[in-house]
Amino acid sequence: MLYVHTFGKTQIETGETRFAANSVRKLPMLLYLSVERGRRVSRAIMHELVFPDQTARNAKHSLRELVYQLRLVGVPIESDGDTIELNGECVRADYADILAAERVTGAQLAAVESGFLPGYAPEHSEAFTEWLDRFRAKTTFDLGKAIVREVTRARSVADWITTERAARACLTVNPFNEEATLALAEMLAINGAKAQAMTLLDQYLLEVGAGSRDLKLPALVLKRRISERVPQSYAARSMSPFVGRDREMLALHEHSGRARGGASECVVLLGDPGIGKSRLAAEFCTAAMLDGAAVVSASPQPHDVHRPFGGFADLVPQLLESRGALGCSPESMRALDKLTTTPSADATPFADAIRDSEALCDATTRAILDIVDAIASEQLLVISIEDIHWLDEMSLRVLGYLLATQRSRRLFVLLTTRTSAPVNEISRHALAVRVLPLAELDADAVQRMTEAFSLDSGLSVDAEMLRWLGGTANGNPLFVESLLGHF
């Protein structure tokens, strides 16, 4: 078997024999034949590529001698009087493994980051140099496409670590790749390096130059979104990577995609405390924000169950700052102002407030519907509310009203809860509420969390510790984090 190594170093191995970059004749010949494996190559071509400084007669003798030497060390070369061929079934190349794989592994991404054929520039043959340049250009282009697919997949499931790693690997082989540049800028912004993200986009725009505005538009749009929507202080709230929720994240993207088309959608994440509901909601909202959606969120507390419209009292200030909010009617603005401001000393007497409470509730409900419609008419609006089991009855009812109308509305509501009781209340009014139960993380996800912890902390977690973690935490990510933190 012949192994072709192109990342980090240029080397071909067979058995105990290695052909490195300083092998002026053997490595170029084997590299060319391995790329053309399974195809007969004329001796005249090999003469031009490997022995351009010799006469035809001498080159024929040198080539015959070289084939003999390679066969002695086990290289599966077949030849006749006119052609030479390398058995394709006996050749394996690291770049070809990536191109043929359905998914690119972390080890392969790390290999790509070390560079493709780095520093390899033989000067013995002008023909070989030209062929090598064409081979390098085509292969790096194909590698870029394969890695971008991994960037897209990882980003769709909020696997930010893999997204960043794949983006950096892609930019190693294709420094001007648009998708990888934008993905890396997003990852920098998500991880709190907002200034670095802006610098990266500025450099990309400078490299694009004064060409077509269409080439610059995606980077300009992302730059504006990062500048306007990603808080400078944003940082990952968890010590561990976000893993094991690919299926759930894809489901959220599917529902939000339908909402973007005008069909209001609601998904409720249901699960035990610490199972990862809040983390899943937060990661989805981050991706939605960078995709151009308006995102507002609230986290009710236990006392909010006695606070009328408590959930929306926290959401309304964010809604008022969203693009499209100015389309709300003046009457609605006044009602929303009453919801979010503290009553003055000369406010309505308590007896009158009781008498007018029904009218106030109706006005407040209509005002909330009005501002949501105004925003959702211009963009996708994502409303995320955690722990809805602590919401008051009126807030639950308004959520049901938002999802009950047949009116086209680009609205996606994402809720989390520990119990199904509030879901039943919303479902009394809503057309469709989809419950997505969260199960425990599988062993692979727990291992990935542990590996990330080991890498960050410099501490080794052995197999016995890993088994103990899996059994004790029972797949609960909060428990895994707590145990690892204590360790």
Side-chain angles (χ1 to χ4, degrees):
M1 180 65 73
L2 203 69
Y3 291 92
V4 181
H5 300 276
T6 59
F7 298 121
K9 59 182 177 181
T10 305
Q11 181 174 284
I12 297 179
E13 301 176 359
T14 177
E16 299 294 327
T17 306
R18 291 176 174 81
F19 304 98
N22 58 1
S23 179
V24 180
R25 308 290 186 182
K26 295 177 180 177
L27 182 63
M29 179 175 174
L30 287 177
L31 181 61
Y32 182 86
L33 290 176
S34 68
V35 173
E36 301 293 333
R37 56 188 175 275
R39 188 177 71 86
R40 292 194 172 274
V41 179
S42 72
R43 289 178 176 266
I45 292 178
M46 297 309 304
H47 173 195
E48 186 178 8
L49 293 175
V50 183
F51 300 102
D53 55 337
Q54 296 184 11
T55 64
R57 181 176 180 178
N58 290 341
K60 184 176 181 180
H61 173 75
S62 297
L63 187 59
R64 184 168 56 249
E65 179 65 21
L66 188 57
V67 168
Y68 175 73
Q69 294 176 10
L70 292 174
R71 282 175 172 167
L72 285 179
V73 296
V75 178
I77 288 183
E78 300 175 4
S79 64
D80 55 28
D82 299 316
T83 63
I84 299 176
E85 179 184 355
L86 195 57
N87 189 337
E89 296 181 355
C90 299
V91 178
R92 183 174 177 181
D94 51 7
Y95 72 89
D97 290 343
I98 293 178
L99 297 179
E102 185 175 341
R103 282 186 54 182
V104 186
T105 66
Q108 288 173 330
L109 291 175
V112 173
E113 283 193 77
S114 62
F116 179 74
L117 298 175
Y120 184 56
E123 300 177 351
H124 70 283
S125 166
E126 182 178 351
F128 183 79
T129 299
E130 292 177 355
W131 172 85
L132 183 64
D133 290 341
R134 293 194 301 271
F135 168 65
R136 180 182 273 116
K138 180 182 184 305
T139 306
T140 53
F141 178 76
D142 292 340
L143 285 170
K145 290 195 299 182
I147 299 173
V148 162
R149 288 197 298 269
E150 182 63 15
V151 170
T152 303
R153 184 209 64 81
R155 188 185 182 281
S156 68
V157 296
D159 184 353
W160 306 134
I161 293 178
T162 301
T163 302
E164 180 176 353
R165 184 180 298 168
R168 292 187 183 278
C170 183
L171 292 176
T172 300
V173 296
N174 189 349
F176 301 105
N177 187 280
E178 179 185 83
E179 291 89 344
T181 301
L182 300 184
L184 180 56
E186 288 182 347
M187 296 308 101
L188 291 172
I190 287 174
N191 290 318
K194 186 175 176 180
Q196 293 183 36
M198 301 293 279
T199 300
L200 175 64
L201 292 174
D202 286 337
Q203 292 175 345
Y204 175 75
L205 291 170
L206 185 63
E207 290 167 352
V208 170
S212 171
R213 179 172 173 80
D214 292 341
L215 295 176
K216 296 183 176 182
L217 187 59
L220 290 171
V221 170
L222 179 59
K223 185 177 177 182
R224 187 186 75 247
R225 288 175 181 168
I226 292 175
S227 176
E228 296 176 353
R229 304 189 181 202
V230 178
Q232 186 68 40
S233 59
Y234 179 87
R237 295 181 297 173
S238 178
M239 59 173 280
S240 65
F242 179 67
V243 295
R245 299 299 184 199
D246 294 11
R247 180 183 64 84
E248 292 83 354
M249 185 61 74
L250 291 173
L252 293 181
H253 280 296
E254 179 183 352
H255 289 296
S256 65
R258 287 200 287 264
R260 195 181 291 273
S264 298
E265 291 278 332
C266 176
V267 175
V268 181
L269 304 178
L270 175 65
D272 297 331
I275 202 66
K277 304 182 297 296
S278 297
R279 182 72 183 275
L280 176 57
E283 299 294 354
F284 170 79
C285 288
T286 299
M289 175 185 59
L290 291 172
D291 281 337
V295 179
V296 296
S297 59
S299 300
Q301 300 302 312
H303 63 268
D304 286 325
V305 70
H306 305 296
R307 179 186 174 203
F309 294 103
F312 285 93
D314 296 334
L315 289 173
V316 165
Q318 302 172 58
L319 291 170
L320 290 172
E321 295 178 358
S322 300
R323 178 166 57 88
L326 292 178
C328 187
S329 69
E331 294 80 7
S332 297
M333 285 292 189
R334 286 192 290 271
L336 295 174
D337 184 63
K338 291 180 181 180
L339 180 63
T340 57
T341 57
T342 303
S344 60
D346 57 348
T348 305
F350 182 73
D352 294 339
I354 293 296
R355 185 178 62 251
D356 297 336
S357 61
E358 186 174 342
L360 289 173
C361 286
D362 182 64
T364 302
T365 300
R366 284 188 283 105
I368 294 172
L369 296 176
D370 189 15
I371 193 170
V372 167
D373 278 337
I375 298 170
S377 65
E378 296 197 13
Q379 61 194 318
L380 173 65
L381 173 61
V382 177
I383 296 178
S384 175
I385 305 178
E386 298 180 24
D387 298 325
I388 61 169
H389 47 273
W390 287 333
L391 277 183
D392 62 283
E393 183 180 349
M394 286 306 304
S395 294
L396 293 173
R397 189 177 301 174
V398 172
L399 283 172
Y401 293 159
L402 283 171
L403 300 163
T405 180
Q406 294 286 354
R407 181 176 178 180
S408 178
R409 180 183 283 138
R410 285 182 284 180
L411 173 66
F412 181 64
V413 178
L414 179 58
L415 311 172
T416 74
T417 181
R418 300 175 186 174
T419 67
S420 59
V423 181
N424 297 333
E425 178 64 27
I426 296 173
S427 299
R428 290 173 53 192
H429 308 283
L431 291 177
V433 177
R434 293 161 180 82
V435 177
L436 190 60
L438 294 194
E440 296 80 8
L441 294 179
D442 59 25
D444 179 66
V446 173
Q447 182 173 354
R448 290 178 63 188
M449 291 178 65
T450 307
E451 289 173 349
F453 167 81
S454 300
L455 185 63
D456 292 340
S457 64
L459 297 175
S460 176
V461 179
D462 58 23
E464 182 180 355
M465 176 65 176
L466 185 61
R467 287 193 298 271
W468 180 83
L469 276 172
T472 306
N474 196 30
N476 187 301
L478 178 62
F479 297 169
V480 175
E481 278 192 6
S482 300
L483 293 170
L484 285 173
H486 181 69
F487 176 69

